Amino acid sequence: MRHVFVETNWVFGFAAPAHHKNPGAVDLLERARRGEFRLHLPSVCLTEVRNPLRSKCQPRNEANAIRDFLKLRHNSSRLTAEDLDAINRVLNRFESSVDSELALLPQILAMLRTEPNIDVFALSDPMLSMAVDLALIDLPLQPFDQCVLAAVLVRTRELWDAGERGLCFCELDKDLQPWDKNRDRKSPLAEVYDQARVWVYGNFELTLPMRPPNWPFQPAPGEPSI
């Protein structure tokens, strides 16, 4: 069984209203339901995602921008009063629809907690200890990202020790990706993932970067591990 780890950006892409939803995030859960792999999600991500969803997905952000544009262009455009009225009706329906979707957020997050194809796991003492260890390494991460990384590293180690293979992490956040904007490896983060035998994908389709057929590489004798 393959194991795919996700974090807050996956929850955002899955739970967001339609105009911000990530189709790849939705499809990832459908693939897990078909038995292609099992998803793993640190439970703290369900808490962290609430504010970004409510602030970034507000319908008024887009609707008011269009209204302001129409006000500025009204005199110079060929739009009639009837056109403007029709546009405003559409914008009002858009706002109402998104408001209704955002109101369902608590139920969606609760569903993810009970979804049989997702292992939503709490931070354990070893994970908190690992977060402290990561803080002592030269990793430019915020405290929350350190906790997420620690959770992934400890849980994947537990799975590996139990005989599981095919461990990977979907990560859209550049701070937690083991490569830079030029796709060059970032040290020491890349080595941390290598030592944990975790392949990191930069999308939810599990395609990029392509995983080498001989992964995971065996560490050199005496190589330190996280």
Side-chain angles (χ1 to χ4, degrees):
M1 168 73 72
R2 296 170 66 196
H3 298 270
V4 179
F5 283 75
V6 291
E7 55 120 345
T8 306
N9 46 52
W10 175 80
V11 183
F12 186 102
F14 176 83
H19 65 305
H20 280 286
K21 196 175 293 293
N22 185 317
V26 176
D27 186 60
L28 194 68
L29 178 56
E30 291 303 316
R31 293 175 64 182
R33 287 170 172 166
R34 293 196 297 267
E36 293 185 31
F37 42 73
R38 183 164 181 79
L39 289 178
H40 299 264
L41 173 71
S43 60
V44 292
C45 298
L46 295 177
T47 301
E48 192 207 19
V49 78
R50 294 174 184 268
N51 286 338
L53 277 171
R54 291 190 172 116
S55 61
K56 295 180 180 180
C57 298
Q58 285 298 326
R60 291 161 192 81
N61 296 340
E62 289 90 347
N64 285 340
I66 296 174
R67 291 189 180 102
D68 291 341
F69 172 78
L70 292 175
K71 289 177 183 177
L72 292 173
R73 297 295 304 272
H74 175 54
N75 293 332
S76 60
S77 69
R78 298 179 181 179
L79 294 174
T80 66
E82 289 77 11
D83 292 332
L84 294 173
D85 182 61
I87 293 172
N88 278 315
R89 287 200 304 272
V90 171
L91 291 176
N92 290 338
R93 290 177 182 174
F94 166 72
E95 288 179 321
S96 177
S97 175
V98 176
D99 283 338
S100 297
E101 290 184 78
L102 288 175
L104 295 175
L105 179 58
Q107 292 95 308
I108 295 173
L109 298 183
M111 179 274 292
L112 291 178
R113 288 188 60 190
T114 59
E115 168 66 44
N117 302 284
I118 305 178
D119 172 25
V120 179
F121 59 95
L123 296 182
S124 63
D125 287 342
M127 293 173 187
L128 296 175
S129 178
M130 172 67 78
V132 175
D133 293 340
L134 292 172
L136 302 178
I137 305 176
D138 187 21
L139 294 176
L141 298 177
Q142 296 298 317
F144 185 85
D145 288 340
Q146 288 177 353
C147 287
V148 168
L149 179 57
V152 172
L153 295 176
V154 171
R155 187 72 183 112
T156 53
R157 183 175 62 195
E158 293 170 349
L159 289 168
W160 182 274
D161 290 345
E164 298 292 333
R165 299 296 183 263
L167 311 174
C168 61
F169 185 22
C170 289
E171 185 50 73
L172 274 60
D173 183 348
K174 62 181 180 59
D175 291 334
L176 283 171
Q177 291 176 339
W179 57 81
D180 60 21
K181 62 181 180 181
N182 298 317
R183 287 289 175 174
D184 295 324
R185 283 167 59 89
K186 291 192 306 189
S187 294
L189 184 57
E191 287 75 24
V192 168
Y193 285 120
D194 287 350
Q195 293 163 15
R197 305 177 184 91
V198 176
W199 185 257
V200 181
Y201 289 106
N203 60 19
F204 295 131
E205 290 76 20
L206 309 181
T207 56
L208 297 173
M210 185 177 297
R211 181 172 174 165
N214 58 335
W215 177 263
F217 306 122
Q218 294 301 315
E223 180 181 7
S225 60
I226 292 295

